[in-house]
Amino acid sequence: MFNKILIANRGEIACRVAATCRRLGVKSVAVYSDADANAKHVAACDEAVHIGEASAQQSYLRIERIIAAARATGAQAIHPGYGFLSENEDFARACEAAGIVFIGPPVEAIAAMGSKAAAKALMHAAAVPLVPGYHGDDQDAALLQREADAMGYPVLLKASAGGGGKGMRVVERSEDFAAALASCKREAASSFGNDRVLIEKYLTRPRHVEVQVFADKLGGAVYLFDRDCSVQRRHQKVLEEAPAPGLNDDVRRAMGEAAVAAARAVQYVGAGTVEFIMTGADFYFMEMNTRLQVEHPVTEMITGLDLVEWQLRVAAGEPLPLEQAQLQVSGHALEARIYAENPARGFLPSTGTLKHLRMPQGVEFRLGDAGQRASVRIDSGVREGDTITPFYDPMIAKLIVHGATRADALARMRRALEECEIVGPHTNVEFLHRLVTSEPFVHADLDTGLIERHHDALFAAQNKPLREALALACAALIGREGGVAASASPWQSLAHWRLNSGFKQTFAWRDVESDAALSVAFSQDGAAQTLDCTGREEAYTWWRGAQAPEYGATIGDTHVTGRVFIDGDVFHVFCLGTAIAFEWQNLLAHAADAEHGEGRLTAPMPGKVIAVLVEPGTVVEKGTPLIVMEAMKMEHTIGAPAAGKVTEVLYGVGDQVADGAQLLMLEAG
Ligand code: ADP
Ligand code: ADP
Ligand code: MG
């Protein structure tokens, strides 16, 4: 086994590989770009080497920098993860030339499978079933058109060097073929620098079922069963599961053996995935991915094995840890890819800071030793406060669950998705929840068109528990503005709160998602409180939970607990398995701001205190200058937001203060 390896990747997969290294006592070296200096994967490794600017071209794809980093740190091997350089022949060759072990297949196997067309020719020779189609060298446009016409429409055009769904075009009619071919070639040339295409019969309602294979350097090869990855958007996977539902033992074995035959045909070594497209019990080879797959955890969950450990052992020259007859499937596993993206806008990637990130109770990565498998596992490459940038893949985390049966796993997944709290970029969490509770998915009626076919149901407006969520938002607001621990409250708001006497106030809210205005009337008379968010006044009590953002409320007969993450005036309520955001229309404060201009007690920006004009006990009028700050070479005078008495001055001349820091305390009056 190696003493030290370098991980030429970032995000969750780099963290994932580092976890196995730690468990096996292998030292790990991270590489990072300018954008990732404080990334989780850097902290997850023992050492880290900076390799360039934020763009992948200038960092994670720079072969010479990565080899130099491995040399400088004495790493004996390089794990490429997935994406980036993982299927790059030049990189595998450069490792070899530098005397560093590439944790992956031999250069020749990458090359053989790198071209989908050439791979199909090889698979044909190895008697692996292929989708009917054309994958020849002759790329003459007229010939391609004749081939497509002969096959019968619809057909699918693919970039031979392709990946990630790029260049793929479904062609419905002969008349459309020429234009689709030109556009496929254009995208292929710009994405892969190679415009070779192949044509396949476009199967309707197929399933994507793939087989995990493993081979060692001593001639051993096994399959670690199958995964169904049919649930896709833009031909890219969203939900994966293992084993593939509904395969009988004969089909399972036949696919496994075909996948091993495919691997043997290219003298494969290491972890690989043979992707098949299926209709009924018929399966056809699509392509082989010569690396660890994003969805490998579902296979780990059903086999109890650590595939990264296997990769390291095989790369170090050890035999496969188990033989085919020793491998068994136990239970069922599901994986959901949580992306920063906006499903409502065509799954457009979304960026931004993860202001609040709370994943379900699970374990980070735990397999191996005693073969324990957690029932909920989270593989993530980010932490709260990190930013999803436009530079890299917008995946936030993978949520993986295991259960004795598919139904058990499904129940866990549903629950786990309900426990995800993410504030910042848009995410697909709610969409995933709808998917896993949708009828076709629940009944394992899987095919690659599932999302499109059920589009209307999956995107239909949902009835959210607005009343309950509002009851919690109001609790958090009252807690913040008038509660006992209100020291961080903007003082101008306090003046409007008289919670002990007969008092009535209307809270104006905006439902952030629908933009609807919501008006809630709160009243208090002595200990009796009522809330009216439905046109009906109901008895209301609220309380804070034991852990910071937890709140509870009863409204009428309804009892609800949840968590409220407050971001400025936006209250993100997580309750009853959903997330709802309300923006508080702070009318009084807005009016006060407009009236008093600068009136506030907090620093409007980071800067230095250059004068303190009041002291404890000073009685001030609205607008009296309190403190002068200097920031960005300009002076800013902080004036009193309203009349009152200074009780405490929290900073002195020369102090640096952070943006938003409270500068003094005032007592209204
Ligand atoms: P899979 O079948 O495992 O999803 P893909 O080929 O679609 O395989 O890609 C694997 C993963 O790597 C995906 O999550 C994709 O977003 C990511 N990926 C692919 N290419 C790159 C790249 N050049 N840079 C960063 N990430 C990439
Ligand atoms: P990529 O390299 O982008 O992963 P694949 O060849 O693996 O490309 O195909 C990606 C997806 O496209 C498959 O998972 C499947 O959903 C769909 N697909 C591929 N080939 C066909 C086909 N012949 N008929 C119908 N759908 C297909
Ligand atoms: Mg594929």
Side-chain angles (χ1 to χ4, degrees):
M1 184 48 75
F2 308 110
N3 296 320
K4 190 193 263 193
I5 70 164
L6 180 141
I7 304 169
N9 215 297
R10 64 179 303 284
E12 66 89 15
I13 192 60
C15 297
R16 160 71 193 88
V17 173
T20 290
C21 290
R22 214 175 307 122
R23 192 172 62 74
L24 298 180
V26 174
K27 291 221 158 50
S28 57
V29 181
V31 291
Y32 65 94
S33 68
D34 285 348
D36 280 341
N38 297 311
K40 184 174 171 186
H41 80 271
V42 170
C45 292
D46 297 306
E47 292 172 64
V49 180
H50 175 250
I51 50 165
E53 291 157 34
S55 90
Q57 285 297 340
Q58 295 302 322
S59 52
Y60 298 103
L61 293 171
R62 290 186 75 162
I63 296 176
E64 76 296 345
R65 291 265 175 109
I66 291 170
I67 301 281
R71 281 220 165 107
T73 53
Q76 298 155 292
I78 298 183
H79 194 302
Y82 55 71
F84 296 132
L85 296 171
S86 61
E87 296 181 278
N88 185 306
E89 290 169 56
D90 295 339
F91 182 57
R93 211 173 280 119
C95 289
E96 205 171 274
I100 297 166
V101 177
F102 175 73
I103 303 175
V107 175
E108 299 73 29
I110 300 177
M113 291 298 185
S115 155
K116 288 187 208 271
K120 288 182 81 169
L122 268 170
M123 292 304 111
H124 181 66
V128 176
L130 300 180
V131 192
Y134 173 82
H135 52 263
D137 291 332
D138 192 339
Q139 295 282 298
D140 176 61
L143 170 98
L144 294 173
Q145 170 98 49
R146 278 197 306 279
E147 288 287 345
D149 290 350
M151 232 172 272
Y153 292 86
V155 301
L156 181 62
L157 276 166
K158 287 184 187 177
S160 181
K166 288 215 179 77
M168 291 205 335
R169 299 284 181 279
V170 180
V171 191
E172 303 281 352
R173 305 175 308 170
S174 182
E175 304 88 279
D176 302 336
F177 186 83
L181 176 63
S183 125
C184 172
K185 279 187 174 292
R186 258 197 316 274
E187 191 168 322
S190 80
S191 303
F192 312 111
N194 175 339
D195 73 351
R196 180 170 173 168
V197 303
L198 60 98
I199 314 171
E200 286 179 0
K201 178 84 191 142
Y202 186 63
L203 304 175
T204 48
R205 301 191 65 161
R207 288 172 67 182
H208 173 119
V209 178
E210 59 187 32
V211 176
Q212 176 72 55
V213 294
F214 241 104
D216 62 25
K217 295 179 179 172
L218 312 167
V222 297
Y223 60 91
L224 277 68
F225 310 104
D226 35 81
R227 299 184 282 254
D228 189 303
C229 312
S230 299
V231 184
Q232 305 183 346
R233 46 128 183 68
R234 284 193 263 102
H235 298 298
Q236 292 299 292
K237 302 157 187 169
V238 192
L239 281 173
E240 299 105 342
E241 60 186 293
L247 296 196
N248 69 39
D249 290 349
D250 292 344
V251 174
R252 172 154 291 132
R253 190 174 328 106
M255 280 181 91
E257 286 169 2
V260 169
R264 287 199 183 279
V266 293
Q267 275 105 53
Y268 200 77
V269 173
T273 295
V274 182
E275 296 188 333
F276 294 101
I277 192 144
M278 280 192 97
T279 53
D282 298 330
F283 58 88
Y284 309 98
F285 173 86
M286 244 184 332
E287 65 163 344
M288 180 169 186
N289 293 325
T290 54
R291 53 171 163 84
L292 193 67
Q293 205 92 343
V294 174
E295 58 274 20
H296 76 276
V298 291
T299 298
E300 296 185 320
M301 296 293 250
I302 60 158
T303 57
L305 301 170
D306 177 340
L307 298 198
V308 174
E309 175 181 347
W310 278 43
Q311 286 189 295
L312 297 184
R313 294 199 181 287
V314 163
E318 296 180 28
L320 290 173
L322 296 172
E323 291 171 15
Q324 192 66 54
Q326 297 171 293
L327 292 164
Q328 272 176 9
V329 173
S330 159
H332 199 94
L334 297 168
E335 174 181 281
R337 298 191 191 187
I338 299 180
Y339 281 108
E341 67 181 14
N342 190 345
R345 294 189 54 205
F347 300 99
L348 209 66
S350 176
T351 55
T353 299
L354 295 160
K355 295 179 184 171
H356 173 71
L357 176 68
R358 187 175 193 255
M359 296 304 283
Q361 294 297 310
V363 292
E364 285 263 313
F365 170 76
R366 175 102 166 270
L367 269 178
D369 299 333
Q372 319 99 316
R373 80 201 90 195
S375 56
V376 177
R377 162 176 161 188
I378 291 125
D379 281 20
S380 129
V382 291
R383 297 157 300 197
E384 186 170 275
D386 289 349
T387 300
I388 304 292
T389 68
F391 300 113
Y392 317 112
D393 190 86
M395 191 160 73
I396 296 173
K398 303 187 303 203
L399 194 58
I400 307 118
V401 298
H402 182 259
T405 62
R406 187 173 190 271
D408 289 348
L410 208 51
R412 287 215 166 102
M413 177 59 86
R414 213 156 44 221
R415 174 74 191 251
L417 285 168
E418 289 167 6
E419 287 173 2
C420 290
E421 296 175 9
I422 305 174
V423 175
H426 281 279
T427 75
N428 63 342
V429 171
E430 188 182 314
F431 177 75
L432 288 168
H433 190 268
R434 289 183 184 210
L435 262 179
V436 302
T437 50
S438 72
E439 183 160 326
F441 192 77
V442 169
H443 294 117
D445 180 11
L446 305 170
D447 70 86
T448 58
L450 188 146
I451 291 180
E452 259 166 56
R453 204 167 42 258
H454 296 273
H455 184 277
D456 291 352
L458 291 170
F459 287 90
Q462 229 174 10
N463 277 331
K464 293 211 172 188
L466 273 186
R467 168 171 160 271
E468 291 78 3
L470 278 170
L472 293 175
C474 290
L477 177 62
I478 297 167
R480 184 180 80 166
E481 301 299 318
V484 262
S487 62
S489 312
W491 172 78
Q492 73 260 29
S493 307
L494 279 179
H496 304 292
W497 294 79
R498 285 182 193 79
L499 291 185
N500 301 319
S501 55
F503 158 88
K504 187 159 191 152
Q505 166 131 23
T506 301
F507 303 140
W509 295 101
R510 184 177 72 87
D511 179 337
V512 171
E513 195 184 322
S514 69
D515 204 32
L518 301 163
S519 173
V520 178
F522 169 77
S523 63
Q524 166 148 354
D525 197 357
Q529 299 184 345
T530 66
L531 199 63
D532 170 359
C533 36
T534 54
R536 186 160 52 98
E537 241 178 56
E538 298 177 281
Y540 176 63
T541 52
W542 66 272
W543 60 93
R544 282 200 177 91
Q547 302 276 317
E550 289 173 4
Y551 287 91
T554 54
I555 167 162
D557 297 332
T558 313
H559 184 86
V560 61
T561 57
R563 297 159 49 82
V564 185
F565 174 77
I566 306 176
D567 178 23
D569 280 339
V570 180
F571 288 55
H572 296 265
V573 182
F574 300 94
C575 69
L576 300 167
T578 86
I580 309 182
F582 302 109
E583 188 186 37
W584 181 35
Q585 311 298 93
N586 187 355
L587 305 176
L588 291 170
H590 292 172
D593 280 353
E595 221 177 294
H596 313 305
E598 292 280 279
R600 62 194 298 155
L601 293 174
T602 54
M605 60 193 63
K608 195 163 92 176
V609 173
I610 56 171
V612 177
L613 310 171
V614 291
E615 53 187 32
T618 308
V619 174
V620 297
E621 292 304 313
K622 209 187 275 179
T624 304
L626 305 171
I627 277 187
V628 184
M629 281 183 60
E630 182 191 68
M632 297 176 211
K633 302 218 162 30
M634 279 171 61
E635 279 189 11
H636 299 269
T637 302
I638 314 294
K645 187 163 87 179
V646 176
T647 57
E648 204 176 333
V649 178
L650 302 169
Y651 288 92
V653 172
D655 287 346
Q656 281 292 334
V657 297
D659 183 17
Q662 175 124 16
L663 301 171
L664 3 67
M665 308 283 271
L666 278 187
E667 193 176 82

